[in-house]
Amino acid sequence: MTTTTATTAVTGAVGTSHTRIEGVAKVTGAARYAGELPFADLAHGWLVLSTIARGRVREIEADPVLRMPGVLAVLHHGNAPRVDADYVGMLGRPDPIAEAFQHDRVPFMGWPVALVVAETSEQAREAAEALVVHYEREPHDVAFSAGRPGTYTPDGEGMRTEKGDLEAQLAASAHVVDAEYSTPEEHHISMEPHAATARWDNGRLEVVDSNQGSTWVADELAKLFSLDPSSVRVLSEHVGGAFGSKGLRIHQILAVMAATTLDRPVRVVMTRRQMFSLAGYRSPTAQRVRLGADPEGRLLAFDHQGHNLSSTVHEFVETSAAFGRPMYAADAHHTVSRVVRLDVPTPTYVRAPGEAPGSFAVESAIDELAEKCGVDPIALRVRNEPAVGPVSGLPFSSRNLLACFDEGARRFGWADRDPRPGLRREGRWLLGTGTAASAFPVLVAPSSAAVTAEADDTFTVRITAADVGTGARTALTLIAADALAVTPERVRVRIADSDFGPAMVAGGSMGTRSWGWAINLAARELREKLVPGGQIPPEGITARADTNEVVAALSQKERHSFGAQFAEVAVDTATGEVRVRRLLGIFAAGRIVNPLTARSQFVGGMTWGLSMALHEEAVRDQASGGLVSPDLAGYHVAANADVPDIEADWVADPDEDDPVGIKGIGEIGIVGTAAAIANAVWHATGVRHRTLPIRPDRVLLAGAGHGEAARA
């Protein structure tokens, strides 16, 4: 037994830069991802997806495929194990894609109709490509637009807000902006594809997966297959990106089906093209923003209508209209979300769901209003800064948005900006600058954690957290070190094992906040158990804690991270090319746990915002109902050559209601970036772009009908 020195020194680990604990393992290849871990007697499943957008499976010619080398099984609706999707999980009722192979219906192109299982991945792929499926085709509809027949406002909290007489305030306004904005279908494009291996081990189902929450996936699988929750274990040690796409997906379900049928481990890995149909995506949006202001620019009316699509089998709402609710004070404040059901895959959460497209519309409209009022865009925001939540009336936990604009304007050189558009030029390049505000809600969810004082004078933290590439494992180590008053080197954090107990998923920018709170509470309880100079037995001393009570006791407030985005662009008048030369983001996002990885998160989000502004656009073919070029050749994301040096920093903004002071940083970087770039393009050319992405052809087309751009 070892004498503990757990309470000897406070290290101040939180707030200091620390390289990723798993960094060396990742860059040397020692870290194994879900599709790489070896298993004895492993079989491989390959998905077969529908080639029609609506109809029924009439026949599957499985026999010829079963005679091919190495083929073990062909699972489909006629022979697959039964599941029960009539349950409510962490995020509500599951997408009915969980009931694949339970019926012969096809609700969209890319719906899974079969799984071919073989001894090798190559054999499974060859057999899957040879499988012949006959369909009864029905007419489909994939055309999305605002206000089309069938559009409705969903039930549920937050789908509509109304304060004040909107039409009266618009009529009384000296300046009015009434504009429509649109964003396209966008995809997560995580580096690591979706992969899962399922096996039965001594009566327990074990799934090695790539996900955002092992407890979440384990609970869903237990319900779906009518298993005792204790008989399901899900592990997800390393994840190569997720961004909202890696919850319960069809590949885990089919891997379990196949492993159950064959009584051996089965791995299913989605291809990049399959992910475009089965991993979710950001719905296209059509948004209308109406702003009315008095002669000085004070808002009298704020109206935001957001439209998105969803599948015919499951409702998903891209809440773009929610972005402005905490942002600007107005006498009349109306927002509404509307949905139309089409024969398409179900959208899902994508980094900054709602806020990313919503901020493009609102922050572009605010820039247009500033132009109409003859007021600097930052000054206009200052005039409309709310004292309390504009819709809720609740106090803000903290609101340092204006501090972000002050610091950003100073560092960007905003005071030297000539507000008139289309004046700055370098050869054939027109130059412009723009700005926009960012906001993302601060959330927290109950989580549990266990902290053990080991006999070797170290500490082990066990929590079902997920590190999806954010550096969460390292941040939690720093939080635990401070809570235990030891150096980070004495702390080992084990994550992503559902056996560790319930914990919040990595999503909504609330992972580190939720997990850190549980670890802090467990560490405090452990310190109370430890006696200075006392002995640690070989099995260690463990304290467990959950945050259900403390989270439930939180007072009602408007809790948000905020930020100010600044962009400088150059527009080629001959080709329509837009180049971002500078990006600066200043954020008020709580206490920063690890500045090194936090800056990486901000920069990553801003890079995504740049990609959203200029590049990303999935196009759906009306005739077939499928995507045009669902791959990285046809879907363009920003590459290194597209991204300038991006600068991200923050102002002091600790959350007094959180034991560590954390808010959340994973998603706010993308919010507002596209609007800042679009506003900069207007400043460069004098032409507004209300449709993303701002492609060269759109720049040239808009310029051809605009005097200044045409003369350029």
Side-chain angles (χ1 to χ4, degrees):
M1 293 188 292
T2 300
T3 301
T4 179
T5 56
T7 60
T8 56
V10 177
T11 62
V14 170
T16 60
S17 290
H18 200 294
T19 57
R20 293 172 188 259
I21 288 170
E22 79 285 5
V24 172
K26 284 183 173 178
V27 300
T28 59
R32 297 290 186 92
Y33 290 81
E36 301 173 328
L37 288 164
F39 287 88
D41 201 27
L42 178 65
H44 299 265
W46 200 278
L47 283 159
V48 178
L49 308 185
S50 70
T51 56
I52 66 169
R54 183 181 177 91
R56 293 182 180 275
V57 176
R58 182 162 50 86
E59 181 187 3
I60 294 177
E61 296 185 18
D63 288 344
V65 167
L66 287 168
R67 292 193 290 268
M68 294 179 68
V71 174
L72 301 168
V74 178
L75 296 181
H76 51 79
H77 71 276
N79 63 6
R82 300 294 93 184
V83 298
D84 181 5
D86 186 18
Y87 67 86
V88 177
M90 179 182 291
L91 298 181
R93 293 198 171 274
D95 185 330
I97 200 170
E99 297 178 285
F101 300 0
Q102 305 300 291
H103 52 76
D104 62 1
R105 289 294 308 170
V106 175
F108 56 79
M109 179 176 281
W111 177 265
V113 296
L115 182 78
V116 177
V117 187
E119 296 287 355
T120 70
S121 178
E122 292 80 9
Q123 290 170 332
R125 177 176 183 172
E126 182 180 7
E129 291 175 349
L131 185 68
V132 176
V133 181
H134 299 278
Y135 300 95
E136 291 181 5
R137 189 186 301 266
E138 299 173 5
H140 65 263
D141 183 2
V142 299
F144 170 69
S145 62
R148 56 157 288 160
T151 301
Y152 67 97
T153 298
D155 295 329
E157 184 179 358
M159 295 298 106
R160 180 189 294 272
T161 63
E162 294 183 357
K163 185 189 83 170
D165 190 330
L166 179 68
E167 298 302 329
Q169 293 295 349
L170 284 169
S173 296
H175 305 288
V176 174
V177 170
D178 185 347
E180 295 181 357
Y181 304 86
S182 65
T183 60
E185 179 177 322
E186 297 172 340
H187 287 259
H188 305 84
I189 313 296
S190 57
M191 290 182 67
E192 181 201 11
H194 291 57
T197 303
R199 66 171 181 170
W200 288 93
D201 182 21
N202 294 321
R204 293 190 79 196
L205 173 64
E206 182 177 285
V207 178
V208 178
D209 190 25
S210 174
N211 65 50
Q212 293 177 237
S214 294
T215 305
W216 174 23
V217 174
D219 180 67
E220 299 267 341
L221 289 175
K223 289 181 168 67
L224 197 63
F225 287 93
S226 302
L227 300 170
D228 188 288
S230 64
S231 68
V232 181
R233 184 187 188 190
V234 175
L235 303 101
S236 184
E237 177 70 11
H238 296 292
V239 180
F243 314 116
S245 71
K246 288 184 175 174
L248 182 71
R249 294 288 167 195
I250 191 63
H251 66 296
Q252 301 128 327
I253 298 167
L254 299 189
V256 174
M257 284 185 179
T260 302
T261 300
L262 297 173
D263 194 23
R264 63 187 287 188
V266 177
R267 174 172 294 156
V268 178
V269 181
M270 290 190 198
T271 67
R272 183 64 62 181
R273 291 178 70 89
Q274 290 168 352
M275 287 166 62
F276 274 86
S277 296
L278 300 177
Y281 58 98
R282 195 193 307 278
S283 167
T285 69
Q287 304 176 59
R288 184 185 182 189
V289 178
R290 292 189 292 172
L291 305 177
D294 66 17
E296 288 72 42
R298 189 181 70 83
L299 281 171
L300 303 178
F302 182 102
D303 179 42
H304 189 180
Q305 304 167 35
H307 298 77
N308 73 276
L309 60 73
S310 193
S311 69
T312 59
V313 295
H314 194 61
E315 180 183 86
F316 182 84
V317 184
E318 182 74 24
T319 54
S320 55
F323 171 75
R325 293 172 188 167
M327 292 302 294
Y328 302 110
D331 296 338
H333 210 295
H334 288 208
T335 63
V336 62
S337 294
R338 297 191 177 98
V339 177
V340 62
R341 299 287 195 95
L342 299 172
D343 300 312
V344 297
T346 307
T348 192
Y349 304 100
V350 182
R351 199 172 194 179
E355 278 74 15
S359 64
F360 166 65
V362 170
E363 292 303 301
S364 295
I366 288 289
D367 204 71
E368 295 195 42
L369 181 62
E371 178 194 359
K372 282 180 175 284
C373 295
V375 176
D376 177 84
I378 297 177
L380 184 73
R381 289 173 171 85
V382 173
R383 294 180 190 184
N384 291 285
E385 177 73 356
V388 296
V391 175
S392 69
L394 294 172
F396 288 98
S397 61
S398 64
R399 185 183 172 99
N400 289 321
L401 175 59
L402 297 188
C404 295
F405 273 112
D406 287 345
E407 178 65 10
R410 181 188 66 80
R411 291 168 62 161
F412 195 75
W414 187 262
D416 299 329
R417 177 185 191 257
D418 187 328
R420 296 172 297 173
L423 297 181
R424 291 178 60 201
R425 179 187 287 273
E426 286 183 2
R428 70 186 192 188
W429 297 92
L430 290 173
L431 307 182
T433 54
T435 191
S438 301
F440 195 81
V442 172
L443 306 170
V444 66
S447 296
S448 61
V451 182
T452 300
E454 307 285 3
D456 63 359
D457 212 26
T458 65
F459 297 85
T460 301
V461 176
R462 293 174 176 84
I463 185 166
T464 315
D467 192 332
V468 295
T470 59
R473 184 188 276 100
T474 308
L476 297 180
T477 300
L478 302 182
I479 291 169
D482 267 11
L484 292 165
V486 300
T487 63
E489 290 72 25
R490 290 176 58 194
V491 178
R492 293 188 300 267
V493 174
R494 295 183 58 195
I495 64 170
D497 184 338
S498 62
D499 278 358
F500 293 161
M504 182 54 197
V505 304
S509 292
M510 63 175 134
T512 301
R513 177 177 165 96
S514 300
W515 307 323
W517 204 325
I519 290 170
N520 186 278
L521 191 59
R524 290 209 310 260
E525 293 189 13
L526 178 62
R527 292 181 66 177
E528 292 177 1
K529 287 186 174 184
L530 298 178
V531 178
Q535 299 293 305
I536 303 294
E539 69 275 14
I541 298 175
T542 297
R544 292 178 172 84
D546 70 67
T547 59
N548 279 279
E549 290 185 6
V550 292
V551 168
L554 274 173
S555 60
Q556 292 294 308
K557 294 180 182 178
E558 287 271 3
R559 292 184 171 88
H560 303 270
S561 293
F562 293 98
Q565 305 278 11
F566 294 83
E568 179 180 33
V569 304
V571 182
D572 189 324
T573 59
T575 66
E577 178 186 7
V578 178
R579 283 280 177 181
V580 176
R581 291 192 170 184
R582 287 194 293 155
L583 270 182
L584 169 67
I586 303 294
F587 302 95
R591 189 178 182 194
I592 302 302
V593 176
N594 185 353
L596 185 64
T597 53
R599 185 168 280 104
S600 178
Q601 282 295 292
F602 289 135
V603 169
M606 294 168 69
T607 301
W608 198 330
L610 183 157
S611 195
M612 174 184 177
L614 302 181
H615 302 294
E616 295 190 41
E617 181 180 25
V619 178
R620 195 163 290 278
D621 177 47
Q622 303 293 305
S624 70
L627 290 178
V628 177
S629 300
D631 50 45
L632 293 182
Y635 183 85
H636 184 208
V637 297
N640 285 346
D642 301 307
V643 181
D645 288 335
I646 297 177
E647 187 178 0
D649 212 336
W650 46 85
V651 298
D653 184 46
D655 187 336
E656 295 180 357
D657 293 327
D658 183 272
V660 186
I662 297 170
K663 282 190 170 182
I665 63 173
E667 294 167 276
I668 192 171
I670 186 176
V671 182
T673 304
I677 292 170
N679 294 337
V681 171
W682 166 80
H683 187 233
T685 65
V687 179
R688 290 284 178 188
H689 287 269
R690 302 185 182 97
T691 297
L692 294 183
I694 307 174
R695 301 190 315 242
D697 62 308
R698 289 173 173 161
V699 173
L700 293 175
L701 182 62
H706 189 273
E708 291 296 325
R711 285 194 295 274

